[in-house]
Amino acid sequence: MITTAPAPTFLSDDFLLQTETARRLYHDYARPMPIIDYHCHLPPDQIAADKTFENITQLWLYGDHYKWRAMRTHGIDERYCTGDASDWEKFEKWAETVPYTLRNPLYHWTHLELKNPFGITDVLSPATARSIYDSCNAQLPNLSARSLLQHFDVRVVCTTDDPLDSLEHHRAIAKSNFKVKVLPAFRPDKAMAADDPVSFRAYVQKVGEVTNREIRTLTHYLDALKSRHDYFAEMGCRLSDHGLEMIYADSYTESEIETIFTNLLLGWQKGVSVLSPADIQKFKSFMLVQFAEWDHEKGWTQQFHLGALRNNNRRRLRELGPDTGWDSIGDFPQAASLSRFLGGLDDRNKLAKTILYNLNPADNEVMATMIGNFNDGSVRGKIQFGSGWWFLDQKDGMEKQINALSNMGLLSAFVGMLTDSRSFVSYPRHEYFRRILCNIFGNEIENGELPNDVDWVGQIVQDICYRNAERYFGF
């Protein structure tokens, strides 16, 4: 008589862990480790105010363009995504969508986030929507922004902040003696956005207002931005971040950049309404070098998120604005410009610690090999291939990133997972990553591809989950 083992229960304690060794690595080594969230989009004002949420929709669905994209695909009207439907109606429509997200990472994320912190193990569907909504809401008074960070044992949070941000909320958090360290990260994308001269001129004017300076020349502009970089450092900042289609590394002369800046600032007076594509590339290339050199001077880490093709739906962009779910993977060439940019900084001994994130999975091996060109022994894992990001922040994407880094670099030096989220309940993504990581190691130990030294491999797992980041960023 043939007998078969019972099918594993969905989202059990051994979720994604296929072997006994994987289970040991996760439960004994990975799970107890704290979290360093070195890149996210959490709103610091909500942490400063220790915001509580009226209902699970406000905590879970507001601003979540991942969920909105799935709902739209399922045929849900925009009113229930970003529109004027009630919070219950929006939750109800999300519950209607969830059963149809099978094999999309949203299915796993949704149920991981219901299980932790809410303790809910029911599958979300129209039949369970009301009971889950009410159960979550009943717990929300005890799940404020700060208590959620502490619940997930987060030790450091790095938000994403424009250079002109006052950082008043970070200051308030620091003065409150909150146990979680909340630090800003310098995101100067708008400061180099030469492809929109009108918005750029408005930004330059605001730079002058914030720094109390008159900006008439390129030198004035750089001095003002440098003062903001210095201010961020005073407020504990240790990282910069750039969201780019690709690294800009065109050749330029200083006189060319001065002319381009003048045309950007005064072009409307001189009849120069639009810069040439070549001038835009040169200006962005110049500004990236300035930011990189400032980062190196201060011992910061620079992050580059590369490859997003943003705002594809122009009609919806006009109606709803950016970051509402209309972006996709782009197929920009990355290798040559990365080599020129990193190599130019390295030539002058001004290459800061760097993390490269790709959105196109076709670039995995490009990134995994590029980092090896500029790891010089001065810092362990000085140049990093960042974790699976955005569309790659899922099981297949994480496994491919881990495998590419393992094959062509040192996975043992990896600074691990980040959240890259606007939600205080996204931290189970770290659990997801840790389970996937432990499953890879556990399977290879049981296949005889790695020695059966669980304690040593467990230490490597703990390094990747927490200790590498702790050492690398120096918080």
Side-chain angles (χ1 to χ4, degrees), residues 86-104:
S86 70
D87 287 344
W88 159 246
E89 289 174 319
K90 290 179 178 180
F91 184 87
E92 188 178 32
K93 290 297 184 183
W94 171 238
E96 177 186 316
T97 304
V98 167
Y100 296 92
T101 65
L102 288 173
R103 301 204 76 246
N104 184 289

Side-chain angles (χ1 to χ4, degrees), residues 200-201 203-209 211-225 257-270 283:
F200 182 81
R201 281 194 289 271
Y203 190 83
V204 172
Q205 182 177 353
K206 191 175 180 183
V207 171
E209 293 169 356
T211 61
N212 196 27
R213 301 166 187 239
E214 184 180 6
I215 297 178
R216 293 180 287 106
T217 67
L218 178 63
T219 299
H220 293 160
Y221 185 54
L222 294 178
D223 288 346
L225 286 175
I257 302 303
E258 289 173 350
T259 299
I260 291 167
F261 183 79
T262 300
N263 287 336
L264 277 167
L265 206 59
L266 302 174
W268 60 278
Q269 295 177 348
K270 301 167 62 178
F283 184 75

Side-chain angles (χ1 to χ4, degrees), residues 69 307-309 312 327-332 359-362 389 391-392:
R69 284 171 70 101
L309 187 62
N312 295 277
D327 309 318
S328 64
I329 294 172
D331 57 351
F332 307 101
L359 197 56
N360 191 334
W389 164 56
F391 293 110
L392 305 184

Side-chain angles (χ1 to χ4, degrees), residues 113-176:
E113 291 166 12
L114 287 175
K115 186 175 182 179
N116 187 14
F118 297 104
I120 294 170
T121 56
D122 291 337
V123 171
L124 182 58
S125 70
T128 60
R130 175 50 75 174
S131 64
I132 289 176
Y133 187 76
D134 291 343
S135 177
C136 290
N137 291 349
Q139 298 179 57
L140 285 179
N142 298 317
L143 295 175
S144 65
R146 293 191 182 194
S147 65
L148 282 165
L149 292 174
Q150 291 178 309
H151 168 82
F152 290 113
D153 199 11
V154 180
R155 302 294 174 85
V156 181
V157 169
C158 293
T159 58
T160 303
D161 310 277
D162 186 88
L164 302 186
D165 194 293
S166 68
L167 305 184
E168 60 187 289
H169 303 300
H170 295 83
R171 189 181 299 278
I173 295 166
K175 288 182 177 179
S176 71

Side-chain angles (χ1 to χ4, degrees), residues 227-283:
S227 74
R228 299 305 299 169
H229 197 273
D230 295 341
Y231 173 62
F232 269 60
E234 292 169 11
M235 293 296 293
C237 179
R238 295 293 178 269
L239 297 94
S240 68
D241 182 51
H242 306 263
L244 308 172
E245 293 178 345
M246 56 186 286
I247 288 286
Y248 303 105
D250 286 21
S251 300
Y252 55 80
T253 64
E254 194 166 318
S255 62
E256 283 180 313
I257 302 303
E258 289 173 350
T259 299
I260 291 167
F261 183 79
T262 300
N263 287 336
L264 277 167
L265 206 59
L266 302 174
W268 60 278
Q269 295 177 348
K270 301 167 62 178
V272 181
S273 58
V274 179
L275 294 179
S276 70
D279 283 347
I280 292 170
Q281 293 284 103
K282 288 180 179 181
F283 184 75

